[in-house]
Amino acid sequence: MARFVRTSGVNNAGTNWDLHVLSSGKYEGYGIRRWDGNEYYYGKMVNGTRLFGAYHWGNGNCSFGEFSDNKRNGKTLFIYGKDPSNIDYYFGDWKNDSKHGKGVYVFSDGSWFYGDWQNDKKQGVRIYYNATEGYAYYQTFNNNEKTSSTKIPY
């Protein structure tokens, strides 16, 4: 039998609370989960684990996308920081909470790069646009180390 559960109240001390359907002792469906330190998740849960939704950390970082085994897995938008004038973001593939696969990382100054990631490290070929210079570069990386960079003529 499924039932809607609110586990505890919220106060200024930041107690944990949940608003989810509880089925067979596990969270199911859409709801909100909050932890101490202003950390919370709202989205869909299946069999007690996050599936798709938004996760907010107390430091201002936010993640919107797919989860598996309570980790970012699949397509996800990750926003770094809480100051609107100084936010970086990444949209792309994730695996086990790490950038892994294709994605684009955009810096607060308008610079960006698109390419491959492996276990949260830059890997392979990427295009980098430097907003300050106004130029793009073709770059290669191996295990987060830049191995070549060529300015793209236009």
Side-chain angles (χ1 to χ4, degrees):
M1 173 96 169
R3 63 185 173 93
F4 190 72
V5 62
R6 180 173 193 237
T7 57
S8 65
V10 178
N11 61 31
N12 290 335
T15 58
N16 299 337
W17 58 269
D18 301 277
L19 292 170
H20 268 284
V21 172
L22 194 62
S23 177
S24 300
K26 301 202 177 183
Y27 296 110
E28 292 288 338
Y30 291 93
I32 302 169
R33 213 144 180 226
R34 184 185 187 282
W35 296 269
D36 289 340
N38 202 27
E39 202 166 299
Y40 58 88
Y41 168 79
Y42 50 95
K44 186 171 185 178
M45 295 186 86
V46 173
N47 201 26
T49 61
R50 296 185 290 271
L51 182 65
F52 185 88
Y55 196 100
H56 179 273
W57 286 264
N59 65 4
N61 292 348
C62 299
S63 173
F64 305 90
E66 299 172 307
F67 292 85
S68 176
D69 296 324
N70 285 325
K71 296 179 181 178
R72 289 179 301 272
N73 278 292
K75 300 285 186 209
T76 297
L77 170 64
F78 194 96
I79 300 171
Y80 299 86
K82 58 181 162 183
D83 176 1
S85 65
N86 190 26
I87 290 178
D88 294 349
Y89 65 90
Y90 170 82
F91 177 74
D93 298 322
W94 290 79
K95 182 178 178 184
N96 293 324
D97 271 346
S98 295
K99 293 181 284 294
H100 193 89
K102 298 263 187 230
V104 62
Y105 191 105
V106 180
F107 297 92
S108 60
D109 71 354
S111 298
W112 56 267
F113 52 75
Y114 171 80
D116 294 316
W117 296 83
Q118 188 172 13
N119 298 319
D120 236 13
K121 295 179 180 177
K122 298 172 208 156
Q123 182 67 34
V125 175
R126 69 184 50 247
I127 301 294
Y128 169 67
Y129 173 73
N130 185 311
T132 304
E133 296 177 359
Y135 288 102
Y137 296 84
Y138 178 86
Q139 299 178 330
T140 56
F141 281 81
N142 185 15
N143 200 28
N144 224 32
E145 296 292 324
K146 187 175 5 176
T147 57
S148 71
S149 183
T150 306
K151 189 184 280 187
I152 299 172
Y154 65 97

